[in-house]
Amino acid sequence: MDRSVPSSTQAADARIPAQHPFVAHLRRAAAAEHQTPHRLWTAEDGALPSLYLSHGAPMLFEMTGWMTQLHDWARALPKPRAVLIVSAHWETAQAALSSARPTELVYDFGGFDPLYYRMRYDTPDATALARHVAGLLPGSEHVHEHGTRGLDHGAWVPLKIMYPDADVPVLQLSLPTQDPARLLALGERLRSLREEGVLVIGSGYMTHGLPFIDWSDLDAVPGWSADFDVWAADALARGDVDELARFRTAAPGMPYAHPTVEHFTPLFVTLGAATDPTQAPVTTIDGFAIGLARRSFQAA
């Protein structure tokens, strides 16, 4: 990237007020890159892990500690050749792919500071990846490739923090089902991408009971959120995919932890894309934000 000419993403970032926490994050990220440039993935690195991350809302741009954890996680891995991300915020009846070229982001949230609706994340062309992913999916399923749909906030918010230079091609794959078995099979079809330097990500939130949060005490962790998180951590540590798949009836805290399930089920794409879904993944982020479990992990 020619840093003498600001990209559209950098130009938009330059208009964020100087005192905003994300501006400080950009400075820290630039300093880290200057000191030790992020090494690009090569075949000698072997397969990248698959990731499940709790992505937060635009308020994540105001959470310095969480942003630092996400960025450090990204830099602990080789920089991927591309990213394929499945987000909780795009559900379709059949699999669909976002636009392979930079387009307007999907600002699928309300009530936030206007600056978040002016943010950009214009990443390189992902046409080659789109063709490859379409070829990996079942021949019996038509994969719709959108010409204009951009990334939703479950994709662009965490990725803008992890790869703020917007120099990695990104493609979003829709969530075509909430059935764990089908999502595991979908992830398995994507597994080979990891051996080609593509980072496969399931983006959700380990608990997402927003209707049941005590908005007068955002430091409080509801019992249903803590209990579900402990249950999930234990099942993941034991590699018990069957137990995880029974979350609707087996997990404590349901249905409060997930009154709708789309923030949990991307986890099954992540596990399906792992070399061995029953191998315990590595937790990279835990704890809580506004009472919700931030648990995130990588699977080899």
Side-chain angles (χ1 to χ4, degrees):
M1 179 185 295
D2 182 357
R3 297 184 183 275
S4 65
V5 179
S7 68
S8 55
T9 301
Q10 291 170 327
D13 289 345
R15 295 193 290 271
I16 301 173
Q19 69 276 16
H20 194 280
F22 184 61
V23 174
H25 176 76
L26 290 174
R27 287 196 298 266
R28 287 191 298 272
E33 181 66 19
H34 178 74
Q35 181 175 1
T36 308
H38 196 174
R39 183 178 62 82
L40 187 64
W41 177 92
T42 66
E44 287 72 29
D45 291 309
L48 286 169
S50 54
L51 276 52
Y52 172 81
L53 57 85
S54 295
H55 62 244
M59 67 179 68
L60 180 52
F61 290 117
E62 302 170 18
M63 298 179 176
T64 298
W66 196 352
M67 287 193 291
T68 299
Q69 288 176 307
L70 284 168
H71 187 251
D72 288 350
W73 186 8
R75 285 185 58 86
L77 303 171
K79 180 182 284 189
R81 293 177 54 246
V83 171
L84 178 69
I85 187 165
V86 177
S87 159
H89 295 281
W90 190 21
E91 299 175 80
T92 59
Q94 289 183 301
L97 296 170
S98 65
S99 173
R101 296 180 176 85
T103 187
E104 191 74 13
L105 296 173
V106 179
Y107 302 98
D108 52 337
F109 43 78
F112 290 93
D113 190 304
L115 75 87
Y116 297 122
Y117 303 87
R118 298 191 294 267
M119 282 186 163
R120 303 292 312 170
Y121 195 60
D122 296 322
T123 51
D125 190 306
T127 298
L129 178 60
R131 290 173 180 161
H132 190 19
V133 171
L136 291 174
L137 299 182
S140 58
E141 291 190 21
H142 173 71
V143 181
H144 182 66
E145 298 183 44
H146 284 262
T148 58
R149 191 193 192 280
L151 305 174
D152 63 49
H153 85 265
W156 69 264
V157 167
L159 291 176
K160 187 173 175 66
I161 292 165
M162 296 171 78
Y163 303 102
D165 288 337
D167 56 354
V168 178
V170 177
L171 187 70
Q172 185 170 347
L173 174 64
S174 69
L175 196 61
T177 178
Q178 300 297 351
D179 177 18
R182 289 181 59 195
L183 291 174
L184 285 164
L186 174 61
E188 185 174 359
R189 286 184 172 273
L190 304 174
R191 188 177 296 171
S192 63
L193 293 173
R194 299 171 38 236
E195 299 171 357
E196 302 167 24
V198 177
L199 191 62
V200 178
I201 301 177
S203 176
Y205 217 133
M206 187 56 72
T207 59
H208 199 250
L210 288 175
F212 310 111
I213 292 295
D214 181 359
W215 296 101
S216 67
D217 184 5
L218 295 182
D219 291 329
V221 177
W224 50 260
S225 186
D227 291 347
F228 186 98
D229 184 54
V230 168
W231 168 86
D234 176 69
L236 288 165
R238 292 185 288 104
D240 195 340
V241 178
D242 290 338
E243 174 74 358
L244 291 164
R246 292 192 294 269
F247 72 97
R248 289 178 176 86
T249 56
M254 289 295 288
Y256 301 99
H258 290 283
T260 58
V261 301
E262 73 285 343
H263 278 76
F264 186 68
T265 53
L267 171 148
F268 295 104
V269 178
T270 298
L271 293 179
T275 303
D276 179 1
T278 65
Q279 180 179 337
V282 176
T283 297
T284 53
I285 298 174
D286 58 11
F288 298 83
I290 64 167
L292 304 179
R294 303 183 306 144
R295 184 169 302 279
S296 305
F297 61 81
Q298 65 184 50

